[in-house]
Amino acid sequence: MKTIIVKSQEEGGKVAGDIIIDYMSSKSNAILGLATGSTPISTYRYLIKKTKEENIDWSNITTFNLDEYMGLGPDHSKSYRYFMNEELFDHVNINKSNTFVPDGHTKTQSDAEKYDDLIQSKGGIDLQVLGLGVNGHIGFNEPGTSFESITSIVDLTNETIEANSRFFKNKDEVPKKAISMGLKSIMNAKKILLMAYGKSKAEAIKNLVNTKPTTDWPCTILQNHADVTLIIDEEAASEL
Ligand code: GLP
């Protein structure tokens, strides 16, 4: 695991963005795995800026997002599909039909699993961007999730509902379930970039790096992946 410590979220966005751009220039039809939340926003802003400055071509890029809240459709302003359109897709020349976000209206587990089939049918994820939950979740794979999990409908922990309530009017509005790529789905990516900023992520980063892989800290599974880069600020690195 490679660790890059940055001074700020803005610098982290530039470091991650340059890695993504380099990848895209070596493979114009790259398959990117994307994340939502506040963490990747600086990366997406940097990608948009560089795309405008350097005419970066997204027309052959395919993207798969990690997760979506159950019950929120693409037009809901708190849905992750809406977030992706606003924060990235509307600002680059990506073909929206090549952008995939799990469907928040998926009814059954067998339908959820079709997301993994779709990823595989496109050739698999080349470069996966990840944020990190304060409890060590990646995607919405909460503590206790099997390392063998594929895309599933999952229950959110109270801690995650609390943490994500800042994006909603109040805690009651936060969906209690989500559909998320599983830990195995994430591990199938060829290359992984995980970003984490701020003191609240320090404990999860400490466990990610130092604790033997355990489902108590889902992020520890990344120790078993051959190509992971952590981009973290000094606060997130403060317990290492
Ligand atoms: C959310 C998302 C994750 C994200 C994490 C951290 O619940 N499902 O994909 O990485 O929590 O969010 P933030 O970046 O806002 O701290």
Side-chain angles (χ1 to χ4, degrees):
M1 203 151 17
K2 181 175 168 196
T3 303
I4 302 173
I5 298 183
V6 293
K7 289 257 177 290
S8 64
Q9 180 157 353
E10 198 189 344
E11 188 192 341
K14 179 177 180 321
V15 171
D18 281 334
I19 293 172
I20 296 167
I21 290 166
D22 280 353
Y23 202 98
M24 286 167 60
S25 60
S26 69
K27 188 174 180 192
S28 64
N29 62 346
I31 315 239
L32 303 179
L34 298 178
T36 50
S38 48
T39 303
I41 290 179
S42 63
T43 302
Y44 297 152
R45 297 217 168 128
Y46 181 78
L47 287 173
I48 293 166
K49 180 173 163 278
K50 290 294 267 190
T51 295
K52 297 214 159 99
E53 286 169 5
E54 295 175 13
N55 263 325
I56 294 168
D57 182 20
W58 291 71
S59 61
N60 293 313
I61 299 290
T62 298
T63 65
F64 284 93
N65 263 78
L66 283 166
D67 46 17
E68 180 60 281
Y69 287 115
M70 288 307 286
L72 304 194
D75 296 330
H76 192 290
S77 66
K78 305 299 176 193
S79 74
Y80 285 166
R81 157 57 76 181
Y82 192 95
F83 173 101
M84 288 310 303
N85 288 345
E86 291 268 297
E87 298 293 341
L88 182 63
F89 300 151
D90 286 346
H91 309 282
V92 297
N93 71 330
I94 199 161
N95 180 347
K96 286 253 180 80
S97 63
N98 292 335
T99 67
F100 300 93
V101 179
D103 179 359
H105 289 111
T106 302
K107 293 277 178 293
T108 63
Q109 179 55 27
S110 67
D111 280 345
E113 290 171 12
K114 289 183 185 147
Y115 196 67
D116 290 274
D117 298 338
L118 187 62
I119 294 171
Q120 288 320 312
S121 74
K122 302 281 180 188
I125 291 173
D126 291 307
L127 173 57
Q128 175 69 56
V129 172
L130 293 178
L132 181 66
V134 288
N135 60 3
H137 74 224
I138 49 178
F140 266 133
N141 294 289
E142 299 280 34
T145 304
S146 161
F147 281 2
E148 291 303 310
S149 58
I150 56 173
T151 304
S152 305
I153 297 168
V154 299
D155 292 314
L156 302 183
T157 61
N158 205 32
E159 199 176 8
T160 296
I161 292 167
E162 189 77 58
N164 288 4
S165 64
R166 68 189 194 280
F167 297 111
F168 293 80
K169 258 196 225 116
N170 55 54
K171 194 177 157 190
D172 294 339
E173 276 202 4
V174 186
K176 309 292 178 283
K177 283 180 182 288
I179 174 168
S180 177
M181 270 168 61
L183 293 170
K184 192 172 171 193
S185 326
I186 292 170
M187 289 292 280
N188 281 336
K190 296 182 187 79
K191 184 176 178 66
I192 295 179
L193 275 189
L194 180 142
M195 295 174 278
Y197 309 116
K199 189 80 193 137
S200 68
K201 305 291 172 75
E203 189 187 7
I205 286 292
K206 178 184 73 180
N207 282 285
L208 195 175
V209 174
N210 294 325
T211 299
K212 194 163 147 268
T214 165
T215 56
D216 291 347
W217 289 93
C219 56
T220 55
I221 195 175
L222 298 176
Q223 291 174 27
N224 299 333
H225 193 284
D227 189 352
V228 177
T229 302
L230 307 182
I231 299 171
I232 58 180
D233 67 2
E234 286 162 359
E235 286 188 345
S238 61
E239 293 185 31
L240 286 179

